[in-house]
Amino acid sequence: PVWQHFAQVHVKDFKMTIVTVLMALVFLLVGQSVVVSIECLWAVNVHQHTTLFDQLDPPFHTRVGQNITSVYGLDLSAGFIAYPTELFQIPPLPLPLTSDDTNVSWSVAWQHNLVQLPKQMAATAVQALNKSTSSQLLMLDYEPGYRPTWNFTCMSRVGQPQWATLLSQIHEDHLDAEWIALVGWHPTSPLPPQTKWSTLTPAQQLDLQKVSWDWFVKQYLTAGLKAIRGALPASVTLGVWNWPFKFWTLPAGGLPEWTMLMDEMGWLWQLVDTFIPDMYPEFYSGPLTTRPSVLSNCKAENASVTAEYFQSNIDAATRLRDKYNPTAKIVLCAWWHYMCNQGITDDDAYFVQDGTLAALFGAAGYDSLAIWGSVGDSKGEDGNASHVVEYLNRVWQPFVEQHCSITSATSTTAAP
C-alpha cells in the first residue's frame, strides 16, 4: 500500500514542493505471460501520517518483510523555467550587469542562467535527499509548458507565438550573428545583406524558431540533469516522471510519427538512470454498463484495449532504452485514481478497481512498478487514511500476493 504527503519547503528564492512518497516498487520479470514469482521492493518514506503504515491488519511490513528503501519525488515544475523565453530573462539573482538592467543582452542572461539554474537544481535535489547516501530512487516531477524538442511541442499546431516574439525582438534590426552561429542555423538559400526578422520568409522564420528552440532547450536540460546527477551520491538513481513520454492519443502520423518524435530526444534518454513513463489510467476498463456514473466523462474500453495501452507504451519505452540507454531501468508509475475524472473523495467509484490492474500486472518488459498515491490534507490528496488502507488491501493486495515474493529484508528509511 502506498501514499504520499506534500510538504512545503523553501530553497533560496524558490518555493519547491517536496513530494514525500510512500511507493511500492514491484520488480517484474520480462518474459512469458504466465503468473510468475517476482521480487517486490517496497519504498516507504513516512512524513506526518506515520500511523497509516501501521493501520494495515495485519501490519503490512509483517506480510512483505522489512524490505524497505527510500524513494523521493521532487517537484521542479515551480521555480525553474516554465517556457524557453525565460532563459533570456534577467533572473531575480545577483548579476554583474550594466547600470541599466533592462538593456542586458540575451547572451549575458543566457550565459548566466545556463550556469546558475543547474546549480540551483542540484542544490534542491541534494536538500530533498537530506544528505542521505542510501540506495534510493530520486524521481523529478518536471512539467513545464514546453517539450524538449520543437516538433514534439508543436505536434498539433504550427509555431509558438511567445517564441516567435522573442526572436523578432532579438533580430529586429538585423539577424544577430552570435545567435545564428550559436544555434547553427543554415538557411537553405543565401540571405541578402541587412536581412532582419521581418524580411525572412515565413518558412525561414519557422525554421529559425525550430533550430533555436532545439538548441537552447537541449543545452539547458542537459546542463540541469548533469548538475543534478553530479551532485547525487552514486547509490541514488535518477529519473524524471513521464520520461519517456507515454501516448494515449497518437499524433496524426500514428506510431511512426511518435517513434520519430521520441528518437529526436535520444540525447535526453541518455541522461537519466531510470525511465519512469506515466501509466495513469486514462479511461474506465470494462463494459459501459458497469461504468460508475461519476465516471461518465471517461471512455469505457475493453480488456484488449487496456492491455494494448500498457503494453504498447512499455514496448516504446523498451525500444528507447535499448537504443539509447541499455543500462536504464523501466519503472512504470501508476495511480489509483483516473486521469479522466480525478475526483478525490471517499467515493469508491473514483478509485481504480476495474480491468486496469489485471492489464498492468500482466504486462511484460518493465523492471518495476511505482504505485503512486496521496493521503493528507493538501489539495489533491485523499483525506481518509483508513479508507485508503481498506481500498488498497481489498483491491491491490490480491495482485501483489499473486505476482510478488520478497527475497530480502533490508530496512532503510530517511526523512525529506
Side-chain angles (χ1 to χ4, degrees):
V2 297
W3 60 281
Q4 79 183 127
H5 184 81
F6 293 93
Q8 298 296 327
V9 299
H10 293 270
V11 180
K12 296 185 178 179
D13 293 328
F14 295 95
K15 184 178 182 182
M16 310 304 298
T17 301
I18 303 302
V19 186
T20 307
V21 185
L22 171 58
M23 295 170 117
L25 298 187
V26 184
F27 278 59
L28 301 181
L29 299 179
V30 178
Q32 303 174 3
S33 57
V34 297
V35 176
V36 295
S37 179
I38 57 179
E39 180 184 8
C40 297
L41 182 60
W42 295 94
V44 178
N45 194 7
V46 179
H47 178 57
Q48 290 184 3
H49 296 271
T50 55
T51 60
L52 177 68
F53 190 61
D54 297 323
Q55 286 177 17
L56 301 164
D57 186 20
F60 198 73
H61 65 269
T62 65
R63 285 183 274 163
V64 301
Q66 295 290 338
N67 193 7
I68 298 172
T69 188
S70 297
V71 177
Y72 294 92
L74 174 62
D75 188 355
L76 290 180
S77 301
F80 300 105
I81 71 163
Y83 194 79
T85 53
E86 297 172 30
L87 290 170
F88 310 98
Q89 296 174 0
I90 302 304
L93 299 168
L95 191 60
L97 306 174
T98 62
S99 57
D100 184 0
D101 290 355
T102 62
N103 293 325
V104 173
S105 72
W106 66 266
S107 180
V108 170
W110 160 249
Q111 293 173 25
H112 175 269
N113 289 336
L114 188 61
V115 173
Q116 294 302 320
L117 287 177
K119 284 184 178 179
Q120 289 155 9
M121 285 182 174
T124 301
V126 170
Q127 176 163 332
L129 289 172
N130 197 31
K131 300 181 180 180
S132 172
T133 58
S134 60
S135 298
Q136 52 199 297
L137 168 65
L138 174 62
M139 180 184 71
L140 305 179
D141 183 15
Y142 189 46
E143 304 178 56
Y146 69 94
R147 295 297 178 91
T149 63
W150 175 266
N151 286 335
F152 192 31
T153 301
C154 303
M155 280 193 301
S156 59
R157 58 192 181 277
V158 177
Q160 289 285 307
Q162 288 178 261
W163 190 242
T165 298
L166 173 73
L167 268 66
S168 69
Q169 294 169 345
I170 291 174
H171 306 288
E172 181 178 10
D173 298 325
H174 60 274
L175 293 184
D176 189 297
E178 182 181 3
W179 179 289
I180 299 300
L182 195 63
V183 303
W185 185 55
H186 302 288
T188 56
S189 58
L191 299 176
Q194 304 305 313
T195 297
K196 54 186 177 180
W197 179 260
S198 61
T199 61
L200 292 174
T201 68
Q204 289 171 331
Q205 290 180 353
L206 199 60
D207 188 48
L208 181 53
Q209 289 180 65
K210 175 188 181 303
V211 172
S212 301
W213 179 290
D214 286 346
W215 193 87
F216 283 111
V217 172
K218 178 180 179 179
Q219 299 303 311
Y220 171 68
L221 291 180
T222 298
L225 287 170
K226 285 187 174 181
I228 293 172
R229 176 67 275 175
L232 298 177
S235 58
V236 175
T237 56
L238 177 66
V240 179
W241 179 82
N242 202 24
W243 285 11
F245 301 95
K246 70 103 175 274
F247 58 83
W248 168 227
T249 302
L250 285 169
L255 190 57
E257 181 181 355
W258 184 266
T259 299
M260 177 200 71
L261 293 171
M262 295 301 104
D263 280 335
E264 286 185 348
M265 292 178 281
W267 56 270
L268 189 64
W269 315 136
Q270 298 175 25
L271 296 174
V272 292
D273 308 314
T274 305
F275 288 4
I276 311 179
D278 149 30
M279 291 286 97
Y280 293 178
E282 297 282 353
F283 49 84
Y284 174 76
S285 178
L288 186 61
T289 54
T290 65
R291 184 187 63 186
S293 59
V294 297
L295 301 180
S296 59
N297 59 331
C298 295
K299 293 182 64 177
E301 301 288 2
N302 60 32
S304 62
V305 171
T306 307
E308 176 64 18
Y309 165 67
F310 289 113
Q311 194 61 61
S312 60
N313 277 288
I314 294 168
D315 292 344
T318 300
R319 185 190 69 82
L320 293 172
R321 190 267 312 275
D322 294 346
K323 185 173 183 178
Y324 297 107
N325 196 345
T327 61
K329 298 293 185 182
I330 297 177
V331 178
L332 306 186
C333 196
W335 190 27
W336 60 57
H337 287 298
Y338 296 90
M339 289 298 290
C340 51
N341 192 335
Q342 302 178 31
I344 310 298
T345 74
D346 289 349
D347 188 341
D348 261 1
Y350 288 103
F351 287 77
V352 175
Q353 44 192 329
D354 52 16
T356 294
L357 296 189
L360 178 63
F361 279 88
Y366 62 99
D367 298 290
S368 310
L369 172 64
I371 309 170
W372 185 92
S374 177
V375 174
D377 52 12
S378 298
K379 182 180 179 180
E381 293 184 308
D382 291 298
N384 188 332
S386 298
H387 175 256
V388 173
V389 167
E390 185 278 327
Y391 158 77
L392 292 172
N393 275 322
R394 173 170 47 85
V395 178
W396 287 82
Q397 183 62 23
F399 288 94
V400 171
E401 292 177 348
Q402 180 182 8
H403 291 268
C404 305
S405 65
I406 295 301
T407 59
S408 61
T410 301
S411 176
T412 303
T413 58

